Structure formats: C-alpha cells, structure tokens
Amino acid sequence: QQQVKQSPQSLIVQKGGISIINCAYENTAFDYFPWYQQFPGKGPALLIAIRPDVSEKKEGRFTISFNKSAKQFSLHIMDSQPGDSATYFCAATVSTGTASKLTFGTGTRLQVTL
Amino acid sequence: ETGVTQSPTHLIKTRGQQVTLRCSSQSGHNTVSWYQQALGQGPQFIFQYYREEENGRGNFPPRFSGLQFPNYSSELNVNALELDDSALYLCASSLQVSGETQYFGPGTRLLVL
C-alpha cells in the first residue's frame, strides 16, 4: 500500500524558475513530513521538514506548504539552479511512535536547465 | 556530509549467497535504521535497532536480519539472496528511537546475479 503518493515523477525547469513537487498521504497519524534530496550515488540528505501545526515553512529558496485537511504537502524551490538537479523524496512519519519509520514517496527527478 | 558511514560501497553476489553490510552511526546517535532502495523507487524501511535490539520492522522476510553493537554501529545480514534483493541499502542514524530527523549514509549498492 502506497501511503505517500508523490508527483510528478520527473520535472524539467529552466534556471531561475519555480519547481513544485506535490505529495499526498493517507495515514492521519503522520505528524512529521521531511523532504530529502538525493544526488546520484549518494544517500538522501534532509532538506527541510514541517509539522502539521503550521501551513508553511521556508528555508532559503525552499518552502514547504502543508494542507492538513486535504492531507497534502508540497515543496517549492524558488529561483531553481542547475545545482538543484537531483531526485527529491517526500516522506512522513509518526514521530511519537516507538520506532521512527520513514515512509517515502516514489521520488521526483528534477532537472534544471540553463 | 553526515557522519554516517557504510561499507562496502559496492558488492556483487550470486543468488543463494549470504551478505553482510555494515554501518557506523553518527557520533552520539543511538538508533540505526536500515532501508532498501530499489532503482527508481523511494527507500523502504527494513528495520530499526535501538540499544542492541530490533525495535520495529517493515514488510521484509526473516532472511533479513541485523545487529547493533555497544558502540551503536550496525550490521544488516541477508540470507539466501534473491535477484530482487538487488538495490541500494541505506543506513540512517538518529538521536533517539522516536527522533524525526534521520541522517543517511551513502549506501551500499548490492547486485545479485
């Protein structure tokens, strides 16, 4: 069962443009939603994360928007740069559980062109 | 770069063999989780170790097993390898068992022929 659905599968954005990646979840017990960035041959690196008690969180060029009622959240990358070209994964977890199991989306491959 | 290290970086095995992958957690982190990432997919949770005991398991068969040592390093063992076990195996460490932030290592790429 795919508990976190991610779209699009791939995305091409021009340099300076806005990249938007969307995720939807089913488990209402999820209370922590991180985004990970993964470059080829590397492990995922934490980019930014949000809890459902806020609707938006911004760190530099990266913003998470969260819609609790719709059970959706999205990553916006402003002023996208070629160095942002990577695969992005949304994830979710129950932070108060006995084990911090991350449930990941299927990933979005972002390519930023010049 | 996180402080999580994994070895080996790459490994080739044949079907039916056994494999051991190793992970050193970030300094001060007492919890280690293992994930399997098939090509083009998101990581899938295998299990987590805390205080040298398994503490939560995903939908993986018993031939996937692990260990955690007193220094919090960990091993992932897979017996009776199958072709579908070919994947990137990721280790992640965190400060506590229910800590949200997990720091991933670079992974071990396993190819089963």
Side-chain angles (χ1 to χ4, degrees):
Chain A
Q1 182 183 5
Q2 182 65 40
Q3 292 194 50
V4 179
K5 296 182 179 180
Q6 183 171 348
S7 63
Q9 190 174 17
S10 63
L11 184 60
I12 299 175
V13 173
Q14 279 195 327
K15 179 182 175 182
I18 302 173
S19 303
I20 302 174
I21 305 170
N22 301 299
C23 284
Y25 63 97
E26 299 168 7
N27 186 351
T28 54
F30 287 149
D31 63 354
Y32 181 73
F33 301 87
W35 284 88
Y36 283 84
Q37 178 189 56
Q38 186 175 31
F39 292 103
K42 303 288 187 181
L46 179 65
L47 198 59
I48 187 173
I50 196 169
R51 289 192 172 279
D53 54 346
V54 297
S55 60
E56 186 175 282
K57 183 175 181 180
K58 183 176 180 180
E59 289 184 2
R61 296 185 294 109
F62 301 92
T63 299
I64 301 178
S65 297
F66 191 88
N67 186 329
K68 188 175 181 179
S69 61
K71 292 187 286 185
Q72 295 175 347
F73 58 110
S74 60
L75 175 69
H76 292 63
I77 305 174
M78 313 300 287
D79 187 27
S80 298
Q81 299 296 312
D84 297 330
S85 297
T87 300
Y88 293 81
F89 293 95
C90 60
T93 189
V94 179
S95 67
T96 54
T98 54
S100 52
K101 163 191 171 182
L102 285 168
T103 300
F104 284 84
T106 50
T108 296
R109 181 173 290 185
L110 171 65
Q111 183 182 353
V112 180
T113 61
L114 294 171
Chain B
E1 294 282 334
T2 70
V4 181
T5 60
Q6 292 186 244
S7 63
T9 55
H10 296 83
L11 203 52
I12 300 175
K13 292 284 187 178
T14 56
R15 193 170 48 182
Q17 284 189 312
Q18 177 266 341
V19 68
T20 298
L21 310 181
R22 295 177 175 81
C23 170
S24 291
S25 60
Q26 187 161 317
S27 178
H29 287 187
N30 59 16
T31 303
V32 174
S33 302
W34 285 91
Y35 292 80
Q36 180 195 64
Q37 185 177 19
L39 202 60
Q41 299 295 317
Q44 299 287 318
F45 176 76
I46 302 174
F47 44 55
Q48 181 185 81
Y49 275 82
Y50 172 67
R51 291 186 176 178
E52 303 177 50
E53 291 194 1
E54 187 178 293
N55 177 55
R57 188 179 185 93
N59 189 26
F60 281 82
R63 60 189 185 83
F64 285 79
S65 64
L67 284 173
Q68 187 181 32
F69 300 99
N71 66 355
Y72 305 135
S73 66
S74 177
E75 286 182 356
L76 165 66
N77 299 288
V78 187
N79 294 320
L81 283 167
E82 301 176 0
L83 298 180
D84 285 349
D85 295 334
S86 295
L88 180 68
Y89 287 86
L90 296 162
C91 165
S93 73
S94 53
L95 268 173
Q96 55 188 343
V97 66
S98 60
E100 314 99 351
T101 304
Q102 296 191 20
Y103 298 90
F104 284 84
T108 293
R109 175 74 64 186
L110 172 65
L111 177 62
V112 182
L113 301 175

